[in-house]
Amino acid sequence: MKTILITGCSSGIGYAAAHGLRARGWRVFAACRQAQDCARLQAEGFDSPRIDYADEDSIATGLAEVLEATGGTLDALFNNGAHACPGAVEDLPTDALRAIFEANFFGWHTLTRAVVPVMRAQGHGRIVQCSSILGCITLPLRGAYNATKHALEGLSSTMRIEMRGTGVHVCLIEPGPITSRFRINAVEHFERWIDWKSSARSAQYETELRARLYAQDSGPDSFELPPETVVKKLIHAIESPRPRPRYFVTVPTHFMGAMRRILPTRAMDWLLTRV
Protein backbone atom coordinates (compact mmCIF):
# COMPACT_ATOMS: atom_id res chain seq x y z
CA MET A 1 0.00 0.00 0.00
CA LYS A 2 1.43 3.37 -1.01
CA THR A 3 1.57 6.07 1.64
CA ILE A 4 0.99 9.82 1.51
CA LEU A 5 1.13 12.58 4.11
CA ILE A 6 -1.36 15.39 3.43
CA THR A 7 -1.47 18.56 5.50
CA GLY A 8 -4.41 20.89 6.07
CA CYS A 9 -7.02 18.11 6.03
CA SER A 10 -9.63 19.67 8.29
CA SER A 11 -11.63 20.89 5.26
CA GLY A 12 -11.44 21.90 1.61
CA ILE A 13 -8.73 20.53 -0.65
CA GLY A 14 -6.96 18.52 2.05
CA TYR A 15 -10.13 16.83 3.24
CA ALA A 16 -11.19 15.95 -0.31
CA ALA A 17 -7.70 14.66 -1.11
CA ALA A 18 -7.65 12.43 1.97
CA HIS A 19 -10.93 10.78 1.01
CA GLY A 20 -10.13 10.60 -2.68
CA LEU A 21 -6.77 8.92 -2.23
CA ARG A 22 -8.00 6.50 0.41
CA ALA A 23 -10.65 5.40 -2.08
CA ARG A 24 -7.82 4.65 -4.54
CA GLY A 25 -6.05 2.39 -2.06
CA TRP A 26 -3.50 4.80 -0.59
CA ARG A 27 -2.76 4.83 3.11
CA VAL A 28 -3.43 8.44 3.94
CA PHE A 29 -1.95 10.33 6.87
CA ALA A 30 -4.38 13.22 7.06
CA ALA A 31 -2.67 15.89 9.17
CA CYS A 32 -4.54 18.80 10.75
CA ARG A 33 -3.40 21.86 12.68
CA GLN A 34 -5.83 21.46 15.57
CA ALA A 35 -6.19 18.40 17.78
CA GLN A 36 -9.99 18.37 17.56
CA ASP A 37 -9.83 18.12 13.78
CA CYS A 38 -7.33 15.27 14.08
CA ALA A 39 -9.78 13.49 16.37
CA ARG A 40 -12.58 14.00 13.86
CA LEU A 41 -10.46 12.53 11.04
CA GLN A 42 -9.42 9.62 13.26
CA ALA A 43 -13.10 8.90 13.87
CA GLU A 44 -13.46 8.68 10.09
CA GLY A 45 -10.78 5.99 10.01
CA PHE A 46 -7.72 8.05 9.07
CA ASP A 47 -4.29 8.21 10.63
CA SER A 48 -4.26 11.90 11.56
CA PRO A 49 -1.09 13.33 13.10
CA ARG A 50 -1.18 16.92 14.34
CA ILE A 51 1.01 19.13 12.17
CA ASP A 52 0.92 22.90 12.53
CA TYR A 53 3.30 24.58 10.13
CA ALA A 54 3.85 27.40 12.62
CA ASP A 55 4.96 24.89 15.29
CA GLU A 56 8.25 23.14 14.43
CA ASP A 57 7.85 20.65 17.27
CA SER A 58 4.54 19.47 15.79
CA ILE A 59 6.20 19.03 12.40
CA ALA A 60 8.90 16.81 13.93
CA THR A 61 6.54 14.75 16.09
CA GLY A 62 3.89 14.47 13.37
CA LEU A 63 6.35 13.19 10.78
CA ALA A 64 7.90 10.83 13.34
CA GLU A 65 4.43 9.39 13.96
CA VAL A 66 4.00 8.80 10.23
CA LEU A 67 7.40 7.14 9.77
CA GLU A 68 6.92 4.92 12.78
CA ALA A 69 3.64 3.68 11.30
CA THR A 70 5.18 3.04 7.85
CA GLY A 71 8.47 1.52 8.95
CA GLY A 72 10.41 4.58 7.85
CA THR A 73 9.10 5.09 4.31
CA LEU A 74 6.83 7.62 2.63
CA ASP A 75 5.82 7.64 -1.03
CA ALA A 76 4.33 11.13 -1.28
CA LEU A 77 3.95 14.43 0.54
CA PHE A 78 1.19 16.91 -0.31
CA ASN A 79 1.89 20.27 1.32
CA ASN A 80 -1.49 21.95 1.42
CA GLY A 81 -2.43 23.90 4.57
CA ALA A 82 -2.27 27.71 4.21
CA HIS A 83 -4.15 30.88 5.07
CA ALA A 84 -4.53 34.46 3.81
CA CYS A 85 -4.12 37.83 5.50
CA PRO A 86 -6.10 40.26 3.31
CA GLY A 87 -5.09 43.90 3.23
CA ALA A 88 -3.11 46.48 1.29
CA VAL A 89 0.67 46.15 1.49
CA GLU A 90 0.97 49.63 3.03
CA ASP A 91 -1.28 48.53 5.90
CA LEU A 92 0.42 45.18 6.47
CA PRO A 93 2.57 45.05 9.63
CA THR A 94 5.89 43.28 9.22
CA ASP A 95 4.93 40.88 12.00
CA ALA A 96 1.90 39.87 9.95
CA LEU A 97 4.20 38.96 7.08
CA ARG A 98 6.41 36.98 9.43
CA ALA A 99 3.39 35.07 10.73
CA ILE A 100 1.98 34.18 7.32
CA PHE A 101 5.38 33.16 5.97
CA GLU A 102 5.84 30.87 8.97
CA ALA A 103 2.58 29.08 8.20
CA ASN A 104 2.57 29.23 4.38
CA PHE A 105 6.27 28.90 3.56
CA PHE A 106 8.83 28.22 6.30
CA GLY A 107 6.81 25.40 7.83
CA TRP A 108 6.37 23.80 4.41
CA HIS A 109 10.13 23.98 3.90
CA THR A 110 10.82 22.44 7.32
CA LEU A 111 8.55 19.48 6.62
CA THR A 112 9.82 19.03 3.07
CA ARG A 113 13.47 19.01 4.17
CA ALA A 114 12.65 16.38 6.77
CA VAL A 115 10.95 14.17 4.15
CA VAL A 116 13.64 14.42 1.46
CA PRO A 117 16.20 12.12 3.21
CA VAL A 118 13.49 9.45 3.56
CA MET A 119 12.68 9.62 -0.15
CA ARG A 120 16.36 9.71 -1.13
CA ALA A 121 17.05 6.59 0.90
CA GLN A 122 14.19 4.65 -0.70
CA GLY A 123 15.05 5.93 -4.17
CA HIS A 124 11.71 7.52 -5.04
CA GLY A 125 9.06 9.97 -3.88
CA ARG A 126 6.67 12.72 -4.87
CA ILE A 127 6.56 16.15 -3.26
CA VAL A 128 3.49 18.07 -4.38
CA GLN A 129 3.05 21.70 -3.39
CA CYS A 130 -0.40 23.28 -3.43
CA SER A 131 0.38 26.73 -4.76
CA SER A 132 -2.22 29.05 -6.29
CA ILE A 133 -3.09 31.20 -9.25
CA LEU A 134 -1.59 33.88 -6.97
CA GLY A 135 1.77 32.18 -7.34
CA CYS A 136 1.55 33.05 -11.04
CA ILE A 137 0.00 36.52 -10.91
CA THR A 138 -0.74 39.06 -8.19
CA LEU A 139 -4.04 40.62 -7.17
CA PRO A 140 -4.48 43.77 -5.08
CA LEU A 141 -5.27 43.51 -1.34
CA ARG A 142 -3.72 40.04 -1.28
CA GLY A 143 -0.07 41.03 -1.00
CA ALA A 144 0.85 38.76 1.91
CA TYR A 145 -0.61 35.65 0.30
CA ASN A 146 0.78 36.63 -3.12
CA ALA A 147 4.24 36.86 -1.57
CA THR A 148 4.12 33.45 0.11
CA LYS A 149 2.97 31.70 -3.05
CA HIS A 150 5.53 33.43 -5.25
CA ALA A 151 8.23 32.38 -2.78
CA LEU A 152 6.89 28.82 -2.82
CA GLU A 153 6.97 28.76 -6.62
CA GLY A 154 10.58 29.88 -6.73
CA LEU A 155 11.81 27.46 -4.09
CA SER A 156 9.86 24.51 -5.50
CA SER A 157 11.04 25.13 -9.07
CA THR A 158 14.64 25.26 -7.87
CA MET A 159 14.19 22.05 -5.93
CA ARG A 160 12.59 20.32 -8.92
CA ILE A 161 15.74 20.94 -10.94
CA GLU A 162 18.06 20.00 -8.09
CA MET A 163 16.31 16.67 -7.47
CA ARG A 164 16.65 15.45 -11.05
CA GLY A 165 18.12 11.97 -11.13
CA THR A 166 17.22 11.14 -7.53
CA GLY A 167 13.83 9.55 -8.21
CA VAL A 168 12.16 12.34 -6.21
CA HIS A 169 9.79 14.52 -8.26
CA VAL A 170 8.60 17.98 -7.18
CA CYS A 171 5.32 19.27 -8.62
CA LEU A 172 3.24 22.43 -8.22
CA ILE A 173 -0.56 22.52 -8.34
CA GLU A 174 -1.95 26.00 -9.04
CA PRO A 175 -5.68 26.26 -8.33
CA GLY A 176 -7.87 29.24 -8.97
CA PRO A 177 -11.15 29.63 -7.04
CA ILE A 178 -11.96 26.40 -5.19
CA THR A 179 -14.88 25.83 -2.81
CA SER A 180 -13.47 25.89 0.73
CA ARG A 181 -13.42 27.80 4.03
CA PHE A 182 -10.47 29.87 2.83
CA ARG A 183 -12.25 33.24 2.84
CA ILE A 184 -13.94 32.55 6.18
CA ASN A 185 -10.61 31.57 7.74
CA ALA A 186 -9.02 34.79 6.48
CA VAL A 187 -11.31 36.97 8.62
CA GLU A 188 -9.45 36.31 11.89
CA HIS A 189 -6.12 37.30 10.32
CA PHE A 190 -7.60 40.45 8.81
CA GLU A 191 -9.08 41.44 12.17
CA ARG A 192 -5.85 40.69 14.01
CA TRP A 193 -3.45 42.58 11.76
CA ILE A 194 -5.17 45.23 9.62
CA ASP A 195 -6.17 48.55 11.21
CA TRP A 196 -8.46 49.34 8.32
CA LYS A 197 -10.33 52.19 10.00
CA SER A 198 -7.11 54.21 10.25
CA SER A 199 -6.05 53.42 6.72
CA ALA A 200 -6.02 55.89 3.84
CA ARG A 201 -7.98 53.11 2.11
CA SER A 202 -10.72 52.83 4.72
CA ALA A 203 -13.48 53.51 2.18
CA GLN A 204 -12.10 50.83 -0.14
CA TYR A 205 -11.95 48.36 2.74
CA GLU A 206 -15.55 49.12 3.69
CA THR A 207 -17.07 48.84 0.23
CA GLU A 208 -14.87 46.15 -1.31
CA LEU A 209 -12.81 43.93 0.97
CA ARG A 210 -14.96 43.80 4.10
CA ALA A 211 -18.16 43.43 2.11
CA ARG A 212 -16.64 40.37 0.47
CA LEU A 213 -15.00 38.90 3.57
CA TYR A 214 -18.08 39.13 5.77
CA ALA A 215 -20.65 38.18 3.15
CA GLN A 216 -22.76 35.31 4.44
CA ASP A 217 -24.58 34.39 1.24
CA SER A 218 -22.45 35.80 -1.56
CA GLY A 219 -22.46 32.47 -3.38
CA PRO A 220 -19.53 30.91 -5.20
CA ASP A 221 -16.91 32.94 -7.04
CA SER A 222 -16.96 33.04 -10.81
CA PHE A 223 -15.56 29.81 -12.26
CA GLU A 224 -15.34 28.27 -8.77
CA LEU A 225 -14.88 24.50 -8.78
CA PRO A 226 -15.15 21.86 -6.04
CA PRO A 227 -11.96 20.65 -4.30
CA GLU A 228 -12.23 17.28 -6.03
CA THR A 229 -11.00 19.06 -9.17
CA VAL A 230 -7.65 19.60 -7.46
CA VAL A 231 -7.61 15.97 -6.31
CA LYS A 232 -7.69 14.81 -9.94
CA LYS A 233 -4.48 16.73 -10.60
CA LEU A 234 -2.94 15.42 -7.39
CA ILE A 235 -3.63 11.84 -8.47
CA HIS A 236 -1.73 12.41 -11.71
CA ALA A 237 1.14 14.07 -9.86
CA ILE A 238 1.66 11.13 -7.49
CA GLU A 239 0.69 8.20 -9.72
CA SER A 240 1.91 9.07 -13.21
CA PRO A 241 5.37 7.77 -14.17
CA ARG A 242 6.00 11.22 -15.70
CA PRO A 243 4.39 13.84 -13.46
CA ARG A 244 4.11 17.37 -14.80
CA PRO A 245 6.09 20.21 -13.23
CA ARG A 246 2.89 22.29 -12.95
CA TYR A 247 -0.83 21.62 -12.92
CA PHE A 248 -3.26 24.48 -13.61
CA VAL A 249 -6.73 24.11 -12.10
CA THR A 250 -9.78 26.23 -13.09
CA VAL A 251 -10.35 28.49 -16.08
CA PRO A 252 -8.94 31.66 -14.42
CA THR A 253 -5.57 29.97 -13.85
CA HIS A 254 -5.31 28.84 -17.47
CA PHE A 255 -6.42 32.27 -18.71
CA MET A 256 -4.11 34.28 -16.46
CA GLY A 257 -1.21 31.98 -17.21
CA ALA A 258 -1.69 32.65 -20.91
CA MET A 259 -2.15 36.41 -20.43
CA ARG A 260 1.03 36.64 -18.35
CA ARG A 261 2.99 35.22 -21.28
CA ILE A 262 1.30 37.41 -23.89
CA LEU A 263 0.67 40.82 -22.34
CA PRO A 264 3.25 43.47 -21.45
CA THR A 265 3.47 44.33 -17.75
CA ARG A 266 1.40 47.53 -17.90
CA ALA A 267 -1.40 45.81 -19.78
CA MET A 268 -1.32 42.93 -17.30
CA ASP A 269 -1.51 45.39 -14.38
CA TRP A 270 -4.56 47.02 -15.97
CA LEU A 271 -6.24 43.64 -16.37
CA LEU A 272 -5.56 42.59 -12.79
CA THR A 273 -7.13 45.74 -11.35
CA ARG A 274 -10.38 44.76 -13.07
CA VAL A 275 -10.62 41.14 -11.93
Side-chain angles (χ1 to χ4, degrees), residues 131 133-138 145-155:
S131 183
I133 185 176
L134 297 182
C136 306
I137 53 107
T138 58
Y145 189 74
N146 291 338
T148 62
K149 291 305 183 183
H150 274 70
L152 177 68
E153 294 266 337
L155 199 70

Side-chain angles (χ1 to χ4, degrees), residues 168-185:
V168 180
H169 297 271
V170 181
C171 306
L172 287 157
I173 298 180
E174 297 161 334
I178 296 293
T179 305
S180 71
R181 292 180 54 83
F182 190 75
R183 189 186 344 131
I184 296 171
N185 293 339

